Amino acid sequence: MFRVAMIDDHILMRQSLASVVNAIPGFTVIYEANNGMEFTKWLDPHNLPDLVLMDINMPIMNGHETAQWITAHYPKLKFIAISMLNDERSIIKMLRNGARGYLLKDSEILDFRQALQDVMSKGIYINTILYKHIVGSLQGSQPNEQVEQAILNEIGVREKEFLRWLCTDKSYKEIAAAMYLSPRTVDGYRDMLFEKLKVASRIGLVLFALRNEIAKI
Amino acid sequence: MFRVAMIDDHILMRQSLASVVNAIPGFTVIYEANNGMEFTKWLDPHNLPDLVLMDINMPIMNGHETAQWITAHYPKLKFIAISMLNDERSIIKMLRNGARGYLLKDSEILDFRQALQDVMSKGIYINTILYKHIVGSLQGSQPNEQVEQAILNEIGVREKEFLRWLCTDKSYKEIAAAMYLSPRTVDGYRDMLFEKLKVASRIGLVLFALRNEIAKI
DNA sequence: AAGAAACTGGGTGTTTTAACGGTATTTTTT
DNA sequence: AAAAAATACCGTTAAAACACCCAGTTTCTT
């Protein structure tokens, strides 16, 4: 029997959802809290629940904060976020913070049951909506890949190193020092890259480096 | 009966996989190609397959290119990528290009069947490995979130708009024009943000904006 | 209605970047 | 061993970015 904890400040919502959970074979609600703070105080390392369902909008300690706390303290503790917001930012943030799934409050009960079962059996629950948001957030902008790929091959190792330094809150002078080069030399690298990459400012170089994963954020 | 097309240059691999597909109730292989080019030539708009399984490493037209082509020409055509590479870059790229799933060549046959069934019934197949890569790619690096989170709340909407403009190969003057502001005003925004974000150059602002997804690459 | 907060505009310097137009050395390829 | 890249270096000038000062207006909160 999977033991479920629920966190939601809307008592009616929480209790009705709890009854749904209790009606799923193999699941039982063992605890309810009004917000993340209450939950963290209650949590006993020697007697963890198997699954946590949490609302995102809550007073005192909201879902995002609670998720971060759980991931920091009990990374193996599975939890599912439940929210009214079908908002990409919110979803992505929750997944980043370790959520095993993200359910909208207007989901069908069948999907809800599926989510709980999937999380316990496979470790995650992702439906089509969620998937679209995830892939959407991966996209950002899809640049002229083949064009940039060709240019990439024309960039030397030292230039790549330089590009990485560019993605830093340092001036060219400081970069020169860090690379053990004359300031003039880095000037030359910059000018060369401007030409190769068809940009006119350091920002352009930085964006290129990040897009092509020469440097990471 | 779902009609499946298979693209893979390794004939043995392809044919043995085809027999696995044919053994799944409800699935039948109707076509096999050695590479993406062959497949695109064969494809008949009036008689599309229900599902395409494609290898990524192929001569002439590889999986990534084929995926892009499919997404451009038949966005509703479902396809699953199959590859030896458990490589995040490759996986993410495939998902971006519209793949409904990504299978490793050393998957269990059970998982393989699950993938086909999930894609046809739910539209996607995501297993734990895939999920980790996706979430991993969402993360990049996990900075001092709580620190930056606090700062984020102190940034106004206009400042955020400005931050987005900063992530552009434009000068401040051009940004001012684009935002219908005086150059002095954007100077002020910049100086304010320097102070709030504890950085000393536009690069610092750009990196902050990208890290916190105020702007996208 | 008062005050706070956010948004908008300005002046005056100093420092940094960028554009132009080069040369010299080392490493790799042929 | 010669040719070709890649790497390292330099001077000048104009433009842009940055630092540090200021104040008026709109918008939201109380």
Side-chain angles (χ1 to χ4, degrees), chain B residues 157-158 181-182 184-185 189:
Chain B
V157 284
R158 205 79 170 121
L181 291 174
S182 148
R184 303 294 178 172
T185 306
Y189 284 170

Side-chain angles (χ1 to χ4, degrees), chain B residues 45-63:
Chain B
H46 304 296
N47 193 22
L48 295 173
D50 299 300
L51 179 62
V52 179
L53 301 182
M54 65 169 83
D55 188 22
I56 291 185
N57 287 309
M58 292 185 295
I60 304 174
M61 187 170 175
N62 68 28

Side-chain angles (χ1 to χ4, degrees), chain A:
Chain A
M1 195 64 120
F2 293 124
R3 299 157 63 255
V4 181
M6 306 196 56
I7 321 177
D8 192 336
D9 59 317
H10 300 95
I11 298 173
L12 190 62
M13 176 81 197
R14 190 181 74 215
Q15 294 189 345
S16 51
L17 213 52
S19 72
V20 174
V21 173
N22 281 323
I24 306 175
F27 289 82
T28 180
V29 175
I30 56 158
Y31 172 74
E32 300 182 24
N34 284 301
N35 61 67
M37 186 61 76
E38 240 180 77
F39 170 77
T40 58
K41 300 275 187 236
W42 164 79
L43 209 61
D44 173 8
H46 304 296
N47 192 24
L48 294 173
D50 300 300
L51 179 62
V52 180
L53 302 182
M54 66 169 83
D55 189 23
I56 292 185
N57 286 309
M58 293 184 295
I60 303 175
M61 186 169 176
N62 69 29
H64 292 300
E65 293 163 337
T66 311
Q68 282 169 11
W69 186 91
I70 290 178
T71 303
H73 294 83
Y74 303 96
K76 294 204 171 159
L77 180 51
K78 297 181 178 72
F79 61 91
I80 297 175
I82 301 175
S83 169
M84 292 181 301
L85 304 171
N86 187 2
D87 169 55
E88 190 161 302
R89 286 281 252 294
S90 175
I91 293 171
I92 298 303
K93 191 168 182 182
M94 258 302 171
L95 294 179
R96 280 185 168 176
N97 288 336
R100 304 306 186 103
Y102 188 107
L103 276 166
L104 297 177
K105 284 203 173 175
D106 57 4
S107 300
E108 301 285 331
I109 286 203
L110 263 178
D111 291 333
F112 179 75
R113 294 176 57 153
Q114 185 72 51
L116 267 64
Q117 280 159 351
D118 277 9
V119 166
M120 295 319 294
S121 63
K122 304 184 196 168
I124 49 153
Y125 167 74
I126 292 195
N127 58 23
T128 310
I129 299 164
L130 212 47
Y131 176 78
K132 284 199 178 126
H133 282 301
I134 292 171
V135 173
S137 89
L138 289 175
Q139 302 200 328
S141 78
Q142 204 103 314
N144 31 353
E145 271 223 29
Q146 47 272 54
V147 176
E148 302 218 326
Q149 187 59 46
I151 299 172
L152 259 179
N153 301 326
E154 300 196 347
I155 298 177
V157 285
R158 205 81 170 118
E159 284 174 327
K160 284 190 186 172
E161 205 184 320
F162 175 57
L163 279 171
R164 275 187 287 276
W165 278 109
L166 284 176
C167 301
T168 287
D169 200 9
K170 281 189 189 335
S171 73
Y172 287 112
K173 207 181 289 182
E174 291 172 311
I175 293 174
M179 290 179 74
Y180 303 106
L181 292 173
S182 146
R184 303 294 180 171
T185 304
V186 298
D187 270 10
Y189 284 170
R190 179 200 55 207
D191 294 348
M192 182 65 82
L193 286 170
F194 279 171
E195 200 176 326
K196 282 183 186 169
L197 308 184
K198 310 279 182 242
V199 297
S201 74
R202 178 168 168 181
I203 302 295
L205 299 181
V206 169
L207 294 176
F208 177 89
L210 295 175
R211 260 203 312 275
N212 293 285
E213 293 176 66
I214 292 168
K216 290 192 178 172
I217 306 171

